[in-house]
């Protein structure tokens, strides 16, 4: 089965974004998929090629219209823009915010929230998630700085309470401890 025009277009966009000349591009096609032209790719080969293009630095642009964004976003005001920015920052879909709305307010969609305090509470919940992810990212960066490059580094922290990755106080303490260790070694 040959690939769609959309996939073919995305491959050519990646080639341009990476600044590849024709010879380099054809060599990549031969190495990854064993073909001379992208139009000869099947779906599986195209997938492998996209993975390789992303590994080489291609950054696909998100679609211009956020899937799942409330249809009544303009009526809900600037708080929706804040929610959208938080989701984008974490790389999360609108479905994540909808799930929070179900959990917090027993409504199926963010679009159904009508009160400002509900939207504010959703923004606060997303902020907490951003903070958790940021702290966990800090832990990962500090571990790498300290020479811990094992991708299974979480197993090394088995003495911590279960679910520590989701607990801000534990994450903050861990970041402080790792920063102190890095500073003591002169790495910060």
């Amino acid at each position: 089965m040959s690939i769609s025009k959309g996939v073919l277009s995305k491959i050519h966009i990646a080639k341009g974004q990476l600044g590849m000349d024709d010879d380099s591009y054809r060599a990549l096609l031969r190495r990854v998929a064993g073909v001379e032209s992208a139009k000869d790719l099947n779906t599986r080969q195209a997938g492998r090629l996209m993975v390789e293009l992303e590994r080489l630095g291609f950054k696909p642009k998100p679609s211009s219209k956020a899937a799942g964004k409330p249809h009544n976003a303009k009526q809900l005001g600037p708080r929706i823009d804040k929610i959208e920015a938080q989701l984008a920052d974490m790389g999360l879909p609108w479905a994540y915010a909808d799930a929070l709305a179900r959990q917090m307010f027993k409504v199926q969609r963010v679009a159904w929230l009508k009160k400002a305090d509900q939207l504010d509470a959703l923004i606060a919940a997303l902020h907490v998630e951003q903070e958790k992810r940021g702290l966990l990212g800090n832990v990962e960066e500090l571990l790498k700085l300290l020479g811990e490059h094992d991708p299974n580094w979480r197993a090394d922290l088995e003495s911590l309470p279960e679910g520590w990755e989701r607990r801000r106080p534990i994450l903050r303490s861990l970041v402080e401890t790792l920063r102190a260790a890095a500073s003591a070694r002169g790495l910060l």
Side-chain angles (χ1 to χ4, degrees), residues 9-66:
S9 176
K10 191 172 182 179
I11 291 168
H12 288 289
I13 289 169
K15 174 189 171 201
Q17 191 183 101
L18 294 172
M20 296 180 85
D21 61 41
D22 282 339
D23 291 337
S24 301
Y25 172 67
R26 300 245 181 254
L28 178 68
L29 286 172
R30 282 190 296 275
R31 179 174 58 84
V32 172
V35 297
E36 294 293 320
S37 171
K39 66 182 175 194
D40 297 328
L41 293 167
N42 63 34
T43 306
R44 183 172 292 179
Q45 291 168 323
R48 285 195 311 252
L49 180 63
M50 289 310 301
V51 167
E52 181 64 7
L53 289 167
E54 288 179 25
R55 188 190 71 74
L56 293 171
F58 170 57
K59 304 256 189 269
K61 291 193 173 30
S63 63
S64 58
K65 184 177 183 202

Side-chain angles (χ1 to χ4, degrees), residues 63-179:
S63 63
S64 58
K65 184 177 183 202
K69 183 174 181 177
H71 64 282
N72 59 343
K74 288 182 180 159
Q75 291 91 339
L76 293 174
R79 287 177 176 89
I80 287 296
D81 295 333
K82 173 68 175 172
I83 292 168
E84 184 174 33
Q86 289 174 302
L87 293 170
D89 178 61
M90 293 183 281
L92 295 171
W94 274 98
Y96 185 87
D98 289 337
L100 280 177
R102 276 191 297 280
Q103 180 182 351
M104 295 170 70
F105 307 109
K106 310 296 184 239
V107 298
Q108 292 299 306
R109 303 201 179 289
V110 172
W112 298 352
L113 298 176
K114 301 296 180 202
K115 297 178 183 171
D117 63 331
Q118 290 175 318
L119 293 168
D120 289 340
L122 185 61
I123 289 168
L126 287 167
H127 176 75
V128 167
E129 183 62 24
Q130 282 179 300
E131 185 180 0
K132 288 177 186 176
R133 289 171 183 239
L135 287 167
L136 192 56
N138 287 342
V139 168
E140 291 180 23
E141 290 171 15
L142 288 165
L143 285 170
K144 285 180 185 170
L145 186 64
L146 290 164
E148 177 61 65
H149 298 289
D150 182 2
N152 298 316
W153 59 265
R154 288 184 171 146
D156 296 338
L157 301 173
E158 59 193 38
S159 63
L160 293 173
E162 186 176 334
W164 65 268
E165 304 99 328
R166 305 289 304 150
R167 297 184 188 172
R168 289 183 294 166
I170 293 173
L171 286 167
R172 285 186 197 116
S173 178
L174 190 53
V175 167
E176 286 177 27
T177 302
L178 291 171
R179 275 197 184 129

